[in-house]
Amino acid sequence: MPSLPRAAPVYSASWEAPALFRSWCGLCIAIYWLCSMTADAMTRSQIAGLRQDAVDMFYHGFDNYMTYAFPEDELRPVSCTPLTRDPEHPENIGLNDVLGNYSLTLIDSLSTLAILASSKSEFNGKAAAAEEFQEGVQLLVEYYGDGTAGSGGRGQRATGFDLDSKVQVFETVIRGVGGLLSAHLYAVGALPGLDLGSDSDRKTNNRQSRSGSKSVWRNGFLYDGQLLRLAHDLASRVLPAFHTVTGIPYPRVNLRHGIPFYLNSPLFHNAEYGVCKNAPHPAVEITETCSAGAGSLVLEFATLSRLTGDARFESVAKRAFWEVWKRRSSIGLIAAGLDAESGLWTGATTGIGAGVDSFFEYALKSHILLSRSDAGQASQQPANYSIGLGTDPNQTLRSLTAEERSSEAFLSTWHDAHHSIKRHLYRDTHHPHYVNAHFMTGAPHALWVDSLGAYYPGLLTLGGELEEAIETNLLYTALWTRYAALPERWSTKYGDVEGGLGWWPGRPEFIESNYHLYRATKDPWYLYVGEMVLRDIQKRCWVKCGLAGIQDVRSGELTDRMESFFLGETAKYLFLLFDDSHPLNTLDAPFVFTTEGHPLLLPATHTGPAGNRRRRRTRRPSQRPADVPSFRRDFCPKPPTSAPFSMSATAERGDLFHAASLSKLHVAESFTLNPAAGWPQHDLQQHKSRLQMNHSLYPWTLPESLLPLHGISSGLPGKHTFDIQFPSSAPNLMIGQQSLTRISEGLLVGSLDGMRLSLVVDEGAGGGDGAKAQRVLRIHAIGSIALGRDEKVLIKRDTLGHMVDPIFTRIRDPAAIDLVLELKGGAPDEQPETRMPKPTTSITNATVPSDILTDQDLPLPSASVMDVHALIGVLLQQLPEAVQNLGKVQTVPDYKGRYIRLSASTATGIGAVPPPDVDEVPDPDEAGPAPDRLPWRTIFLGDGNCDKRLSVQTAAEHTIIVLRRGRCSFSQKLANIPSYPPDRKALQMVVVVSDDVDVDDDGGGGGGANIRPLLDREQRTPSGLPRHHPIPLVLVGGGEQTWQSLKDAQGIGLRRRYQVQSQGMLIANLIVF
């Protein structure tokens, strides 16, 4: 064979070159494209620029405060003057609650200065931050002393905080005490990164600072714990507020005089102290506080107790927390306000925002902070700290239990609280958000979100509920994009500012949540959200002498006030968002940010007695204890991942447009585009063309390249709703008695005449073994009265009648019946619950909040179909707010005369048969049935019936056989009953008694999760032959009490339970009895 020509290799190479060239070109194009995408994901230089802008914003406020306002509390940035207390008008609590005349802004800013100074990044102002921190501490000592009892304790302004200032307990603790403690932890090196020592002895001083000894700073100042002593002094002056019967602190205290103005306080001596003398009717000092104010003191006070050894603070704070929590409703919700003296709720509204917000925050964060030591806490009063004003409140209050002292109890509270919020306040129609509701029932009260609630996505992130955090944060992001700030309240019903509450005083909650979400996901989306917030603050709030709040986000009107939290929180979270390598962002320790944004950490030497510290084992997700509910997350979820060659999983979400739609962003031009807001013209033009083309894109700083090229929004989520209107027999009647009555289980319907039911399609309980959940209906409103998610509507069978209609049909409940017992010698002292309680509260007599509305997601019928009853309901809604005893009912006897009723669950499975088809007996709660009406009068009690067979005579001569549950299966119990001739005097039904208190979880039978006995095989006789006449079997609860009742019974009858269907679906919360 001839050899190949020598040119062949060259020929072959000539064919490979284009392929190689194409590969290199493709690789270069891919690298270029990825680099361009990475640039859109925000470059390091962009982040550094934003970090510098955040630093400059902070210094613009801080420098002007120190120039124009120090040593007063706050700055008026428009007029360049200090903002102080209003002693001539004590009722001006907007100022006087917060401003205590102790240089509040400086205290609130110290931890921010420490964070700037401890950064590993380089920026202008970093070196100055350490110097400003040292100077700030030195100034506080000069003005308020060093916290000792000697001459050093006297400052230029006061000895410690011996000031005639009546302040709010909550604000003083979170801003004053928390700010001092956080700065102290930085000063002694417990929080990382801050170097204050001189160059020559830096290492020595760092070692000394960590052990709490004296340290000479670079400016020559000798730090020996002055801030900690001042924090102890301030907290001691707040401590008298805890002298209440309940342990819930009074809302206000005077830093010099304590609480002389509360009438029922043991320290009372002057009711008019601090009351405006010029008022026509001087009011008695109110004792109402809020759940957040009373329950959000644990972080600061526990840290103070651990660092000083003074156990008083941790004890009173924990007790106050648990006193609030133990007053929660049966559905696990707490209201916003309660009275410190009586412990009674003063209102019925709850939500996630104002009044309750930081309570949930401190539930989770208290667990985190205290997890290093668990149950340990300080146990004695140290000699070098004074007792302070008054006596120790703990001496007159109950002691904390071991569980209340543990960190695990706080974690459990967070899980329970979150579960209740998710079930009763969370709405996923249109776009996920939270409503305000009645804390006893979960019925929606008001359809608005507030800017304070923007913290919740960040808290969810810390709690591992990442998906819920991401989706709910989108609404706040869209709202900020629309208004270039967050209004105080925004109506989800009308899509606008609620009630004129359009101010934004520089609140940090929204940027705080974005900071936590970025730390959890590293999604550049949140960097662009931070850029939007920063740019909007620069253009709207930056004034000559600082940063002003916005009075109205729509008009841009400013307030002449720079709140201390603007420097203490808002600027801090913005800086940390853009400083990825900051020591706090990489710290592997149980530290937390307080609700005022102050980082706290318990050093290892101050976590409690050594005996209480123990090693904690981490539990794998699959090792969840059996008694831990499934909704409790014990591991951090994996963050969502973006599509290949994409940068932002958030920008790719199918529900991105949903939040824009709910916020009306897609039809309203953003206030960002207002030229009067102060944008440079070139920046305005840069963003205006895109935003005018499509208002639904947000944040407005987001590059279009981060959005999917062919992204399509998923359909707006919604629920099918419809109304059932019953005819009215008196259509012209203008005034009449409402036919609704409030009972413990829900609403009792007295008549269907003119009634309008609003229903929604829900996903019911699953069928087990992975079966698909059954679709059911739920009544969410009756007329204009909204119902909570778990509220039931109860109606008597006589009221319902034998209604058969495609949209409203009565059917038998296949899962439950009632057994009526006639007792031989009267009823026993105690019986298990056997019937519905008698109604105790009429809707016409109850006061209902003026802003009660049905859920915006589930709109009420139009006015054109409203009848007189609905109109009356609307009028009733204008009455004052409901009191908390709306859900309380009187205890009702469970029997009448000699007759009682037992709830029974019917059997399920292949061997189950329905109960006997006999006439029902009358309702024993209304008129006792005649003895000859009870059909089954021969009863046999046969224990477990597992080991031996019953006789044929027993089955043939007894209509009811009663057996105990356990030791063998239900099928085996029936298999030990012999065949017998069918007869009305022979065996009709087997009743099995369970030791459970109640096998009917639902309490009413309709659609509930009843415990039903399983007959897993067809019924057979003792000889193994199929039973020709299967025996009905039911299960009752109550244990020994029920057994005794059945033993004493001389007759048993049956009452069936009924359900109602509409269009083939069960109305799950409608109970017929």
Side-chain angles (χ1 to χ4, degrees):
M1 184 176 181
S3 62
L4 291 174
R6 296 178 61 87
V10 178
Y11 182 79
S12 299
S14 66
W15 283 99
E16 293 176 2
L20 180 62
F21 177 76
R22 287 195 302 270
S23 299
W24 278 106
C25 287
L27 180 61
C28 292
I29 292 172
I31 293 175
Y32 175 80
W33 183 79
L34 286 174
C35 290
S36 65
M37 289 296 295
T38 304
D40 286 335
M42 198 167 285
T43 64
R44 292 183 180 180
S45 61
Q46 286 178 295
I47 296 174
L50 292 170
R51 182 169 58 241
Q52 185 64 59
D53 288 344
V55 173
D56 294 342
M57 182 182 70
F58 169 79
Y59 274 119
H60 181 64
F62 181 76
D63 289 345
N64 279 287
Y65 164 75
M66 296 303 294
T67 300
Y68 296 105
F70 181 82
E72 304 306 332
D73 285 312
E74 288 183 346
L75 168 69
R76 294 184 183 272
V78 177
S79 58
C80 303
T81 57
L83 180 63
T84 61
R85 293 176 56 79
D86 188 1
E88 297 300 321
H89 300 89
E91 73 280 4
N92 185 3
I93 58 177
L95 284 180
N96 295 327
D97 272 1
V98 177
L99 308 185
N101 201 26
Y102 52 81
S103 309
L104 178 61
T105 297
L106 175 58
I107 293 176
D108 235 356
S109 301
L110 285 178
S111 63
T112 306
L113 286 168
I115 285 173
L116 297 181
S118 59
S119 174
K120 295 180 180 179
S121 305
E122 294 299 326
F123 51 86
N124 294 331
K126 177 180 178 180
E131 297 174 2
E132 295 283 3
F133 178 86
Q134 295 176 80
E135 183 180 348
V137 174
Q138 192 168 357
L139 284 172
L140 286 176
V141 173
E142 290 178 5
Y143 275 83
Y144 305 101
D146 61 6
T148 63
S151 59
R154 293 192 295 271
Q156 295 181 23
R157 170 164 285 195
T159 299
F161 296 100
D162 182 21
L163 301 161
D164 190 8
S165 300
K166 181 180 174 185
V167 293
Q168 191 187 85
V169 171
F170 171 67
E171 295 288 354
T172 303
V173 171
I174 65 170
R175 300 198 199 198
V177 177
L180 291 167
L181 288 173
S182 184
H184 167 74
L185 290 171
Y186 266 113
V188 299
L191 286 169
L194 183 60
D195 179 17
L196 301 173
S198 61
D199 293 335
S200 60
D201 60 354
R202 182 179 305 170
K203 294 183 179 180
T204 302
N205 283 336
N206 283 345
R207 287 195 298 269
Q208 292 174 338
S209 65
R210 289 185 177 88
S211 64
S213 59
K214 299 178 181 180
S215 175
V216 178
W217 290 351
R218 191 174 293 112
N219 65 350
F221 179 74
L222 175 64
Y223 185 78
D224 62 355
Q226 292 95 325
L227 293 177
L228 180 59
R229 291 195 295 272
L230 286 174
H232 186 274
D233 177 87
L234 182 57
S236 297
R237 297 176 183 279
V238 171
L239 208 56
F242 291 85
H243 280 286
T244 63
V245 176
T246 61
I248 300 170
Y250 286 116
R252 294 172 182 86
V253 66
N254 186 285
L255 296 179
R256 174 175 295 166
H257 301 287
I259 51 170
F261 34 74
Y262 290 112
L263 293 174
N264 298 318
S265 166
L267 305 181
F268 163 76
H269 61 80
N270 186 354
E272 296 184 357
Y273 188 87
V275 177
C276 181
K277 303 298 190 299
N278 297 326
H281 303 288
V284 176
E285 188 68 25
I286 63 171
T287 57
E288 177 186 356
T289 187
C290 65
S291 298
S296 305
L297 309 172
V298 177
L299 296 181
E300 293 83 0
F301 272 13
T303 301
L304 180 61
S305 286
R306 303 299 177 93
L307 295 178
T308 63
D310 188 346
R312 295 176 300 162
F313 305 103
E314 184 172 352
S315 294
V316 296
K318 285 182 174 179
R319 185 183 296 106
F321 178 92
W322 295 120
E323 288 296 329
V324 173
W325 181 240
K326 80 177 186 180
R327 288 167 169 78
R328 64 192 181 278
S329 68
S330 60
I331 60 175
L333 297 176
I334 59 173
L338 73 168
D339 186 83
E341 292 182 341
S342 67
L344 298 177
W345 298 109
T346 57
T349 301
T350 189
I352 63 166
V356 295
D357 47 2
S358 55
F359 180 90
F360 308 124
E361 180 184 1
Y362 275 43
L364 178 58
K365 290 183 177 180
S366 293
H367 164 71
I368 296 172
L369 180 69
L370 303 176
S371 60
R372 175 177 281 177
S373 60
D374 202 10
Q377 71 175 58
S379 58
Q380 74 282 336
Q381 166 66 31
N384 59 332
Y385 289 96
S386 59
I387 290 293
L389 297 175
T391 59
D392 181 5
N394 294 288
Q395 296 176 356
T396 59
L397 296 170
R398 67 171 182 84
S399 298
L400 293 171
T401 65
E403 181 182 7
E404 290 173 334
R405 296 179 184 275
S406 71
S407 66
E408 291 299 327
F410 288 96
L411 179 61
S412 178
T413 299
W414 156 248
H415 283 308
D416 292 344
H418 169 252
H419 176 68
S420 295
I421 291 171
K422 183 71 178 286
R423 178 161 185 82
H424 299 287
L425 305 183
Y426 176 89
R427 296 294 185 270
D428 58 359
T429 304
H430 205 145
H431 185 77
H433 61 284
Y434 304 93
V435 300
N436 298 275
H438 194 294
F439 85 112
M440 293 292 294
T441 64
H445 266 193
L447 304 177
W448 46 257
V449 296
D450 62 356
S451 62
L452 284 170
Y455 81 99
Y456 198 63
L459 183 61
L460 290 171
T461 304
L462 292 177
E465 306 295 337
L466 195 53
E467 173 59 25
E468 185 182 350
I470 292 172
E471 64 182 10
T472 54
N473 190 64
L474 288 177
L475 176 60
Y476 295 108
T477 308
L479 286 174
W480 185 288
T481 305
R482 176 180 173 183
Y483 292 102
L486 280 185
E488 185 72 3
R489 284 186 186 177
W490 185 83
S491 171
T492 57
K493 182 177 180 65
Y494 300 109
D496 203 352
V497 173
E498 170 80 11
L501 305 180
W503 60 79
W504 182 72
R507 295 198 189 280
E509 287 78 11
F510 174 59
I511 190 61
E512 174 189 359
S513 285
N514 281 276
Y515 161 72
H516 287 302
L517 280 164
Y518 179 70
R519 298 309 310 163
T521 65
K522 294 302 180 72
D523 191 328
W525 165 278
Y526 301 104
L527 294 176
Y528 286 106
V529 173
E531 181 187 13
M532 174 181 68
V533 172
L534 182 60
R535 299 303 181 214
D536 287 338
I537 291 175
Q538 286 175 328
K539 77 181 189 315
R540 304 196 79 182
C541 303
W542 191 294
V543 293
K544 177 182 178 181
C545 294
L547 297 139
I550 303 174
Q551 181 61 34
D552 192 321
V553 297
R554 296 164 295 184
S555 67
E557 177 187 356
L558 299 178
T559 59
D560 194 8
R561 181 178 184 182
M562 185 178 73
E563 294 262 13
S564 71
F565 55 66
F566 197 99
L567 302 181
E569 296 185 81
T570 307
K572 178 184 299 170
Y573 285 122
L574 278 170
F575 174 79
L576 286 172
L577 175 65
F578 299 124
D579 193 15
D580 193 57
S581 63
H582 194 280
L584 283 182
N585 288 335
T586 58
L587 180 60
D588 185 14
F591 87 97
V592 295
F593 289 100
T594 70
T595 195
E596 189 67 12
H598 297 301
L600 293 180
L601 171 68
L602 294 181
T605 56
H606 296 287
T607 55
N612 289 323
R613 296 196 299 272
R614 62 175 185 264
R615 293 182 60 86
R616 300 177 49 149
R617 296 184 300 170
T618 57
R619 187 172 65 244
R620 295 180 181 178
S622 59
Q623 294 176 323
R624 183 188 303 276
D627 59 342
V628 176
S630 60
F631 61 80
R632 298 190 179 185
R633 187 183 297 280
D634 55 4
F635 60 94
C636 291
K638 182 181 179 181
T641 56
S642 58
F645 305 110
S646 180
M647 292 295 153
S648 173
T650 305
E652 298 168 3
R653 291 179 64 95
D655 61 350
L656 194 64
F657 174 73
H658 301 172
S661 174
L662 179 57
S663 66
K664 309 296 183 185
L665 178 62
H666 64 305
V667 295
E669 185 175 1
S670 171
F671 285 86
T672 299
L673 301 179
N674 183 2
W679 261 116
Q681 193 62 28
H682 68 280
D683 288 338
L684 177 64
Q685 295 302 326
Q686 178 182 355
H687 302 290
K688 191 169 184 177
S689 60
R690 177 174 65 84
L691 288 172
Q692 285 183 331
M693 178 181 64
N694 188 346
H695 299 311
S696 66
L697 300 182
Y698 64 98
W700 61 261
T701 51
L702 187 73
E704 290 186 41
S705 57
L706 255 67
L707 296 168
L709 185 61
H710 300 292
I712 299 176
S713 172
S714 59
L716 283 173
K719 293 185 177 181
H720 178 64
T721 63
F722 65 93
D723 298 333
I724 298 177
Q725 176 74 60
F726 294 92
S728 175
S729 60
N732 297 322
L733 180 65
M734 297 303 299
I735 299 178
Q737 176 78 12
Q738 282 278 60
S739 58
L740 298 177
T741 307
R742 173 76 65 183
I743 62 175
S744 60
E745 287 82 1
L747 294 177
L748 177 65
V749 177
S751 171
L752 292 174
D753 188 35
M755 187 71 66
R756 185 180 73 249
L757 305 179
S758 299
L759 298 97
V760 59
V761 178
D762 270 349
E763 294 295 333
D769 298 328
K772 185 178 179 180
Q774 179 187 8
R775 300 182 74 195
V776 296
L777 295 172
R778 173 172 59 86
I779 299 174
H780 71 87
I782 301 180
S784 58
I785 299 175
L787 274 68
R789 180 171 178 176
D790 289 342
E791 276 196 285
K792 295 179 175 60
V793 178
L794 300 100
I795 184 170
K796 292 185 177 181
R797 66 184 73 192
D798 295 337
T799 302
L800 186 62
H802 295 280
M803 185 175 296
V804 179
D805 187 279
I807 63 171
F808 204 78
T809 304
R810 190 185 83 168
I811 62 173
R812 287 185 180 181
D813 186 344
I817 61 172
D818 289 329
L819 300 179
V820 177
L821 277 62
E822 179 188 1
L823 303 180
K824 297 176 182 177
D829 294 334
E830 286 191 54
Q831 295 294 335
E833 182 179 347
T834 57
R835 67 177 183 86
M836 298 297 172
K838 290 293 185 182
T840 59
T841 308
S842 172
I843 290 296
T844 54
N845 296 328
T847 55
V848 183
S850 60
D851 59 353
I852 280 189
L853 297 169
T854 191
D855 191 347
Q856 167 260 346
D857 301 332
L858 309 172
L860 283 175
S862 61
S864 60
V865 300
M866 292 182 65
D867 57 66
V868 62
H869 296 278
L871 291 174
I872 293 175
V874 172
L875 294 175
L876 288 173
Q877 289 189 18
Q878 308 306 314
L879 298 174
E881 187 170 341
V883 293
Q884 71 278 6
N885 61 3
L886 190 63
K888 296 180 179 178
V889 297
Q890 299 174 353
T891 301
V892 182
D894 293 323
Y895 57 88
K896 181 177 181 179
R898 298 166 57 194
Y899 300 92
I900 65 172
R901 185 165 62 180
L902 299 177
S903 299
S905 297
T906 60
T908 185
I910 192 173
V913 292
D917 189 11
V918 297
D919 294 336
E920 296 187 49
V921 299
D923 186 355
D925 296 330
E926 295 186 352
D932 57 1
R933 292 291 305 277
L934 295 181
W936 305 318
R937 308 189 66 81
T938 54
I939 304 166
F940 176 82
L941 277 73
D943 202 36
N945 203 41
C946 293
D947 302 326
K948 59 182 180 179
R949 303 175 182 179
L950 295 179
S951 65
V952 176
Q953 183 179 7
T954 299
E957 296 180 356
H958 296 86
T959 53
I960 296 292
I961 291 179
V962 181
L963 305 174
R964 294 186 185 272
R965 183 181 181 182
R967 296 180 53 209
C968 62
S969 68
F970 295 105
S971 295
Q972 183 61 41
K973 293 179 186 295
L974 294 183
N976 283 332
I977 300 176
S979 297
Y980 56 93
D983 188 83
R984 64 184 183 89
K985 295 182 179 181
L987 179 61
Q988 302 295 311
M989 187 167 58
V990 171
V991 179
V992 179
V993 179
S994 173
D995 288 335
D996 297 331
V997 174
D998 192 358
V999 298
D1000 183 3
D1001 295 342
D1002 181 32
N1010 296 352
I1011 302 175
R1012 301 180 65 184
L1014 174 64
L1015 297 176
D1016 54 356
R1017 57 180 184 267
E1018 66 177 4
Q1019 293 190 29
R1020 293 182 175 272
T1021 65
S1023 59
L1025 298 175
R1027 192 183 294 275
H1028 294 295
H1029 301 285
I1031 306 171
L1033 181 144
V1034 298
L1035 180 68
V1036 296
E1040 196 59 38
Q1041 292 180 356
T1042 298
W1043 184 269
Q1044 187 62 42
S1045 297
L1046 289 165
K1047 183 178 180 180
D1048 294 338
Q1050 62 183 13
I1052 296 179
L1054 176 149
R1055 283 183 62 83
R1056 294 180 179 85
R1057 291 190 182 183
Y1058 293 89
Q1059 299 173 331
V1060 175
Q1061 283 187 344
S1062 180
Q1063 303 180 58
M1065 288 183 287
L1066 176 69
I1067 304 179
N1069 65 332
L1070 179 59
I1071 309 301
V1072 182
F1073 67 101

